[in-house]
Amino acid sequence: MMSNQSLQQKFSYSLLLALLFSTFLLPSFQVIDGFPKIHLTDMLIPFFAMVVLINFKSELIASAKWFLIANIALMLIALISLIVNHRLFILRDDFELMKMIKFLIVFLFVIIAVKGTDLTSILKIIFVFVLFFNLLHYFNLFGFNQIITKYYGSELQVSTFGFNSLGQPDTKRIIGTVGNPNNNAILFLFFVIFFFPEMKSKTSEKVFFLLAVFGTLACQSRTGFFALGIIFLLGSIIKKYAFKTTALYMLSFTALFLLLLLMGNIYLNSLIGNMMKQNSLRSRLETWNILWEMIKQKPLLGYSPYKD
């Protein structure tokens, strides 16, 4: 007969698996028109909170002390800002505060659930599913985008995937299981960090790492490219890579990028061309300038999580 502690561990592990698989693979869905979409993780929050309350001990607080302080302080600022800006009873704004509370609960739950657990095998399985999904989406095999991807992104994203506003072939920016190419790049960057190889890692470990890099590049996110460069630079320093090892990985990254070009992705040409023709950089600078002016008007509490 299993002890209560053993049952709690199995329950926490089962919830952790549900969290990982749903976060990486399942889409959000809408229950009521006009209300925000919900995700399976939202439905699991009460169970996460229960695990946190059962295991809320001094060592848990100590292990996440500064995160708890920062998160609670941020929530208090958001709450005060809602009150000051007369937005406290605006439901769509309140959801932003609820997201912060949800994130805190999930974070504490993960600290408890991963203790003494090796997630390498599970995350490898999830990664294979994520990569397979993105490849089916990229090539739209068997009408995958019209059948499956439509549940992960908007109708416009699916119908215009790989085409510009004139209906001509254009950059394929895969939205993946998170419904957005930039967020999808962040997802693959998580795997880049997780699979980042040691100097003497097995070949299979290096393959997982390079596949994660390939996924990041396929998202065609400029922010993702920049973050990948920073991650690799810091990782190679921390892992104390030899110059030869660093050079080989850089050549591998270049080969993967060229492979994307051969697969029909023209982002290499449009990377600078789009910035010049579509003034994307200028529009971003203008947006940042507007935001800076707004910050100067309300530097302390801002405008609350304003959703209008």
Side-chain angles (χ1 to χ4, degrees):
M1 188 175 179
M2 288 189 292
S3 64
N4 287 337
Q5 185 176 1
S6 180
L7 283 171
Q8 286 181 23
Q9 289 175 344
K10 286 184 176 295
F11 181 64
S12 296
Y13 184 69
S14 298
L15 285 175
L16 181 62
L17 292 182
L19 173 65
L20 291 173
F21 275 95
S22 62
T23 299
F24 287 115
L25 295 169
L26 298 182
S28 300
F29 55 93
Q30 196 159 30
V31 179
I32 303 174
D33 290 338
F35 277 75
K37 289 184 176 181
I38 64 172
H39 196 268
L40 178 60
T41 52
D42 297 312
M43 301 168 68
L44 294 174
I45 288 295
F47 300 103
F48 297 153
M50 182 173 66
V51 173
V52 170
L53 289 173
I54 292 172
N55 296 273
F56 201 78
K57 302 173 184 177
S58 57
E59 55 265 30
L60 174 62
I61 298 174
S63 63
K65 178 181 176 181
W66 292 110
F67 176 82
L68 282 170
I69 292 174
N71 204 277
I72 292 171
L74 190 60
M75 284 191 289
L76 286 174
I77 292 172
L79 178 60
I80 295 171
S81 183
L82 282 168
I83 295 171
V84 170
N85 288 282
H86 308 290
R87 306 283 299 181
L88 185 59
F89 299 105
I90 307 297
L91 191 60
R92 52 185 172 274
D93 287 8
D94 294 337
F95 272 116
E96 298 304 308
L97 185 58
M98 291 170 64
K99 286 179 184 177
M100 298 167 68
I101 297 171
K102 182 181 78 171
F103 179 73
L104 178 60
I105 293 171
V106 171
F107 181 83
L108 293 175
F109 165 75
V110 170
I111 289 178
I112 294 166
V114 300
K115 189 175 182 180
T117 303
D118 185 3
L119 295 174
T120 303
S121 297
I122 296 297
L123 285 174
K124 282 183 177 180
I125 293 171
I126 292 174
F127 175 72
V128 169
F129 276 111
V130 168
L131 185 63
F132 186 61
F133 180 102
N134 279 273
L135 287 174
L136 290 174
H137 163 45
Y138 188 90
F139 293 106
N140 194 23
L141 296 175
F142 314 112
F144 187 80
N145 291 338
Q146 289 70 36
I147 299 171
I148 302 297
T149 310
K150 67 178 183 179
Y151 294 107
Y152 291 82
S154 67
E155 184 179 345
L156 180 63
Q157 286 175 309
V158 173
S159 61
T160 60
F161 179 70
F163 298 95
N164 60 21
S165 58
L166 300 176
Q168 301 169 332
D170 199 1
T171 303
K172 288 184 177 180
R173 305 186 67 207
I174 53 177
I175 65 174
T177 57
V178 289
N180 179 285
N182 292 321
N183 292 342
N184 203 31
I186 293 172
L187 184 150
F188 275 108
L189 286 170
F190 165 81
F191 286 111
V192 167
I193 296 171
F194 187 80
F195 293 132
F196 208 101
E198 302 288 342
M199 271 288 292
K200 297 182 179 180
S201 293
K202 296 178 181 179
T203 302
S204 60
E205 304 299 323
K206 295 175 182 178
V207 169
F208 272 99
F209 171 69
L210 289 175
L211 286 174
V213 170
F214 177 77
T216 305
L217 295 176
C219 293
Q220 302 298 305
S221 165
R222 283 189 288 253
T223 305
F225 290 170
F226 180 75
L228 176 63
I230 297 297
I231 289 170
F232 181 72
L233 175 63
L234 294 176
S236 60
I237 294 172
I238 294 171
K239 303 290 185 180
K240 298 180 179 179
Y241 281 180
F243 175 78
K244 181 180 178 181
T245 303
T246 303
L248 284 173
Y249 277 119
M250 293 297 292
L251 285 173
S252 299
F253 296 170
T254 304
L256 291 173
F257 200 92
L258 292 175
L259 177 61
L260 283 171
L261 290 179
L262 292 175
M263 290 162 59
N265 211 322
I266 59 173
Y267 195 65
L268 185 61
N269 296 326
S270 65
L271 182 61
I272 297 177
N274 282 347
M275 291 176 65
M276 301 301 292
K277 294 177 183 178
Q278 299 176 11
N279 296 317
S280 62
L281 179 59
R282 182 185 300 174
S283 64
R284 291 189 185 194
L285 290 174
E286 289 174 354
T287 301
W288 293 341
N289 185 55
I290 293 171
L291 290 173
W292 176 242
E293 292 300 321
M294 292 175 68
I295 290 171
K296 288 195 293 185
Q297 290 175 18
K298 291 189 175 183
L300 294 179
L301 297 174
Y303 295 83
S304 78
Y306 193 80
K307 299 293 288 184
D308 286 342

